[in-house]
Amino acid sequence: MTKIYDFKQTINQEELQKTAQVLRNGGLVIFPTETVYGVGANALRKDAVDHIFEAKGRANDNPLIVHIHDFKQLDELACDISEMEKKLIDAFFPGPFTLILKKKEVVPDNVSAHLDTVGIRMPSNKIAHEILKCADVPVAAPSANISSRPSGTKIEDIKEEFDGKVDIIIDGGPSDIGIESTVVRVIDNIPTILRPGKITPEDIKDVVGIVSIDKHIFEKAEGVVRSPGMKYKHYAPKSPCTLIYSDDEKTQIDLVNENITPGTVVIGFKEHENKIYCDQFVAHGSIHNYDEISHNIFTLLRKVDTYNPTQILIEGVKKEGIGIAIMNRLIRSSNYHYIEK
Ligand code: AMP
Ligand code: MG
């Protein structure tokens, strides 16, 4: 039986202790972070980590991110941390930032999918911090969603798909950022973004003066890639999706209208609601506020499926700032059906 604890208003201390105990003892807990919800297990217990892969139906060559609450845990899990890596840690921990580091033996092979590295993140969300602190073990946690589905950013969206598969679900309200962390690996002393997120290339450049972006961010990845997660179908609603983008706003609206067929749902800018002629229009946010779009996007990708549309058209955003991360996720949601003019 899965228990749901409501921490939206206050963190109940007794339930916090129980949650920590479950994690230490090898159970599974869904918990909020500032990016998306995670499904977590004691990262030092291989058997517990195996249960995450089972619960999600996740491919076992897709490694997990390990969540920590204290800088001291870095030395337990990783070694040979360079000056550049230290600077990134100082700048972006705690926060929506994952750093890939050389792993120590103590990290089980299933966490890192047999790579010699481990992704580490220190969430800034208060509930996540309290759980990690109270459990006092590193917690491996991928996004809380059945593999290939949009990541969970609200308990209402995911409680059914995890009911009976996890021990505890912590409700902390909707995720603040709404898309997953920026994943970075320092390669030849250059911080390389393997997955874009709220921490942007500019943010990284401001700290260390240099940044590179992996070429697979907007392309289909196959075979050996630096971040195995890039190979998989991800973030996808059940109905077919097309992503549409133009630098010119009027052209973008025209493109959307040209592609509408009966039963189409459009996810687009609220400013375009009266200019797009479809059966159902759902606003992902404002053309002037990409943070709003990132906050809303995954829950909307789930919601539109409930309308049983014949197709979903999504208005894309400029690939700058957090727009890079939004487009990275939307290109995958649409299974690379992407129209740009
Ligand atoms: P998720 O936990 O669902 O947010 O996915 C974690 C992402 O981090 C995936 O895209 C993984 O490929 C990536 N990742 C985790 N650990 C590593 C690692 N050691 N090396 C490269 N990428 C990693
Ligand atoms: Mg995921």
Side-chain angles (χ1 to χ4, degrees):
M1 255 282 286
T2 301
K3 290 196 191 81
I4 299 189
Y5 296 154
D6 184 350
F7 285 8
K8 288 201 289 293
Q9 301 302 329
T10 47
I11 299 175
N12 178 302
Q13 288 306 311
E14 199 179 312
E15 289 171 346
L16 178 67
Q17 294 295 339
K18 280 190 197 152
T19 305
Q21 182 96 40
V22 162
L23 279 172
R24 273 195 300 272
N25 292 345
L28 295 191
V29 173
I30 290 184
F31 64 99
T33 81
E34 68 276 24
T35 57
V36 300
Y37 276 81
V39 48
N42 183 341
L44 303 179
R45 280 190 48 175
K46 193 173 195 295
D47 57 335
V49 171
D50 269 336
H51 291 142
I52 298 180
F53 285 91
E54 281 160 30
K56 278 185 60 105
R58 184 175 174 108
N60 58 12
D61 68 348
N62 193 1
L64 308 180
I65 293 168
V66 176
H67 294 69
I68 60 170
H69 72 278
D70 191 317
F71 290 95
K72 277 187 252 161
Q73 292 171 289
L74 278 164
D75 286 332
E76 281 167 36
L77 302 163
C79 52
D80 305 342
I81 303 179
S82 70
E83 282 310 310
M84 162 92 64
E85 288 162 343
K86 280 186 191 143
K87 275 191 198 162
L88 294 167
I89 290 165
D90 279 350
F92 301 120
F93 278 23
F97 182 83
T98 297
L99 191 59
I100 308 295
L101 295 167
K102 187 149 192 270
K103 88 172 183 81
K104 281 193 174 163
E105 280 283 310
V106 60
V107 180
D109 279 344
N110 55 353
V111 170
S112 59
H114 295 273
L115 300 170
D116 59 2
T117 53
V118 59
I120 301 185
R121 179 163 107 81
M122 185 187 282
S124 61
N125 174 283
K126 184 163 190 324
I127 299 172
H129 178 82
E130 290 300 312
I131 292 170
L132 293 167
K133 190 171 150 198
C134 197
D136 205 24
V137 288
V139 171
S143 55
N145 53 276
I146 299 298
S147 282
S148 93
R149 299 277 293 138
S151 304
T153 56
K154 261 185 192 171
I155 288 309
E156 302 81 67
D157 289 346
I158 51 173
K159 65 179 179 211
E160 269 164 45
E161 65 197 47
F162 283 105
D163 190 33
K165 293 185 179 174
V166 301
D167 298 287
I168 296 174
I169 294 178
I170 307 286
D171 191 350
S175 312
D176 182 20
I177 296 170
I179 54 180
E180 307 84 347
S181 59
T182 307
V183 176
V184 168
R185 178 166 179 188
V186 177
I187 301 168
D188 297 333
N189 221 30
I190 302 173
T192 305
I193 298 181
L194 305 184
R195 177 177 73 182
K198 171 77 179 161
I199 302 294
T200 64
E202 295 74 42
D203 295 333
I204 294 168
K205 206 168 169 194
D206 282 349
V207 171
V208 290
I210 187 167
V211 69
S212 150
I213 303 182
D214 192 278
K215 67 178 188 323
H216 290 118
I217 276 178
F218 300 117
E219 279 170 24
K220 207 164 189 163
E222 272 151 7
V224 178
V225 290
R226 285 173 177 153
S227 173
M230 294 196 283
K231 284 188 305 193
Y232 292 102
K233 182 178 171 197
H234 211 336
Y235 321 115
K238 291 175 182 141
S239 318
C241 270
T242 304
L243 177 63
I244 296 180
Y245 179 73
S246 172
D247 273 334
D248 177 68
E249 194 178 349
K250 165 97 177 40
T251 309
Q252 175 155 323
I253 294 170
D254 290 345
L255 273 176
V256 174
N257 280 323
E258 281 162 25
N259 281 280
I260 288 171
T261 52
T264 298
V265 173
V266 174
I267 304 181
F269 295 114
K270 57 181 156 205
E271 291 86 352
H272 294 173
E273 174 143 27
N274 297 322
K275 298 177 181 158
I276 287 174
Y277 309 107
C278 56
D279 289 348
Q280 189 116 27
F281 182 91
V282 182
H284 55 25
S286 165
I287 206 156
H288 306 295
N289 187 353
Y290 285 5
D291 284 336
E292 188 183 7
I293 297 173
S294 125
H295 176 80
N296 289 331
I297 196 67
F298 284 139
T299 191
L300 288 182
L301 288 170
R302 285 169 175 272
K303 183 175 164 191
V304 292
D305 261 340
T306 64
Y307 305 146
N308 289 316
T310 50
Q311 65 158 343
I312 302 166
L313 300 180
I314 311 175
E315 282 198 87
V317 302
K318 260 198 189 51
K319 288 178 192 155
E320 57 183 41
I322 196 171
I324 301 172
I326 295 170
M327 287 299 272
N328 165 270
R329 306 310 193 271
L330 288 178
I331 284 171
R332 283 170 170 73
S333 304
S334 349
N335 200 17
Y336 303 90
H337 297 159
Y338 178 40
I339 303 174
E340 181 170 350
K341 202 158 149 187

